[in-house]
Amino acid sequence: MSAEGGFSEVIHAPLRLRICGLLRSVDELDFAVLRDTFGVSDATLSKHLKTLADAGFVSSTKTASAARGDSRRITWLRLTAEGKRSFDDHVRALQQIAAGFDAVSPNA
């Protein structure tokens, strides 16, 4: 795999990279947990999640909360299979960049 093939401009933005990293380690996570973990506004998180969803990297579902007496719903987020693959490829590309291309080149 070449670094260019695995590097993702969509994932690389700092907050999106952190979102993918956190979602990669769990099956799914509540929107509010992501928002509070990163200390960002709903609007900021929504914007970045939309970019990831448009790329096919993140999916969401909404469920009713048994703990709430109102009709608000919880948004659950997860990396898709494509999102997991792309994130893993992106991390490998970053590792190659950090190691220097000569260290991983078959001609080295």
Side-chain angles (χ1 to χ4, degrees):
M1 174 198 87
S2 71
E4 296 82 17
F7 189 91
S8 170
E9 292 287 341
V10 171
I11 291 174
H12 193 67
L15 183 56
R16 291 194 295 267
L17 182 62
R18 294 174 68 202
I19 290 167
C20 290
L22 188 53
L23 290 177
R24 184 64 175 103
S25 65
V26 297
D27 289 333
E28 62 183 1
L29 204 58
D30 179 354
F31 178 95
V33 171
L34 273 175
R35 179 199 60 217
D36 295 347
T37 297
F38 298 132
V40 297
S41 68
D42 286 0
T44 296
L45 183 57
S46 292
K47 176 184 146 193
H48 286 282
L49 288 170
K50 181 176 180 344
T51 299
L52 290 167
D54 288 349
F57 297 161
V58 171
S59 66
S60 65
T61 56
K62 293 183 183 262
T63 60
S65 171
R68 290 181 173 156
D70 58 21
S71 61
R72 289 185 297 168
R73 298 166 59 93
I74 298 173
T75 301
W76 293 98
L77 301 153
R78 73 190 51 77
L79 279 184
T80 62
E82 181 181 352
K84 290 175 184 177
R85 255 188 322 278
S86 294
F87 177 73
D88 292 346
D89 287 348
H90 185 74
V91 169
R92 279 191 290 277
L94 291 175
Q95 289 168 334
Q96 287 180 349
I97 292 167
F101 287 100
D102 289 338
V104 294
S105 173
N107 298 328

